[in-house]
Amino acid sequence: MTDQTESDSAADGAEMLDHAVPVAEGAADAATVFGALESQLAEQKDKYLRLAAEYDNFRKRSVRERQEAESKGMGMLIRGILDALDDLGRFAHVDPAQTECAAVVQGAEMVEKKLLKSLAGHGLELVDPVGQPFDPAVHEAITTTPAASAEEDHLVAQVFQVGYVFNGMLLRPARVVVKQWTAPSGAAN
């Protein structure tokens, strides 16, 4: 440091001492400031605890509401298939000695149609793609079979098991046989 800088700082220090608050007053001010800070801290801590409790209550309420909505949705679905279930129960308790085979098959078909209609009303779609182009997004190829012509290449020939889509979400792909064209060995491409 230079002599000039040292003398300036000494003058500033002396000036500060002249304007300094007496020690007793400074302690009282510090206690007041400390008390104010302590009360602000307590207030912020209270706000934090209330906010944490509010968030916890919101989380619990959200879980409860989600479970109630799920239960309500399942109840609506079950209510929709109760008629088909009743028909199936009546159908299962027929006397085989007095019932023709054709009536049993017809009854099973009617129950299936009623059940599929009810589920379709809740957003279920059947994937039964016979004669349509193979789509790996909704079809699962089990095997292939020869195609009669190049136009039939990659068309679905047979469905082993239908697939299901629920509200746009694939539940199960349709398991299919796909036609595959193989050019005759003597033909030019």
Side-chain angles (χ1 to χ4, degrees):
M1 249 189 203
T2 63
D3 291 332
Q4 177 65 27
T5 311
E6 287 176 8
S7 64
D8 286 344
S9 2
D12 288 340
E15 222 175 83
M16 289 176 111
L17 287 175
D18 291 341
H19 299 297
V21 178
V23 175
E25 279 185 38
D29 287 342
T32 305
V33 169
F34 182 72
L37 290 175
E38 207 171 42
S39 89
Q40 283 181 349
L41 177 63
E43 184 181 315
Q44 291 300 320
K45 185 176 180 182
D46 183 56
K47 281 183 182 179
Y48 167 75
L49 290 174
R50 288 178 188 273
L51 185 62
E54 186 178 325
Y55 175 73
D56 191 46
N57 291 338
F58 167 76
R59 188 180 50 78
K60 288 176 184 177
R61 186 175 59 248
S62 295
V63 167
R64 186 177 56 249
E65 287 172 353
R66 188 172 38 247
Q67 288 172 342
E68 288 171 359
E70 184 178 330
S71 292
K72 185 177 180 181
M74 283 197 264
M76 290 173 60
L77 177 66
I78 290 171
R79 190 177 314 123
I81 63 173
L82 285 178
D83 286 340
L85 186 62
D86 291 341
D87 291 345
L88 189 59
R90 284 190 290 274
F91 176 67
H93 298 292
V94 298
D95 184 11
Q98 297 179 358
T99 309
E100 293 181 26
C101 184
V104 171
V105 171
Q106 185 182 16
E109 287 175 349
M110 289 173 58
V111 170
E112 179 189 31
K113 285 179 184 176
K114 188 178 249 184
L115 186 61
L116 287 174
K117 181 179 178 183
S118 175
L119 292 173
H122 292 284
L124 187 72
E125 298 173 34
L126 206 61
V127 179
D128 191 4
V130 173
Q132 297 176 3
F134 176 74
D135 180 2
V138 290
H139 306 147
E140 179 181 336
I142 302 299
T143 188
T144 60
T145 188
S149 66
E151 291 81 30
E152 291 182 354
D153 192 27
H154 290 84
L155 291 181
V156 174
Q158 181 182 359
V159 177
F160 279 127
Q161 188 176 42
V162 295
Y164 295 97
V165 174
F166 179 70
N167 290 331
M169 178 179 66
L170 182 67
L171 297 179
R172 182 177 75 194
R175 293 184 173 100
V176 299
V177 176
V178 181
K179 294 180 183 181
Q180 188 170 16
W181 170 250
T182 305
S185 53
N189 288 341

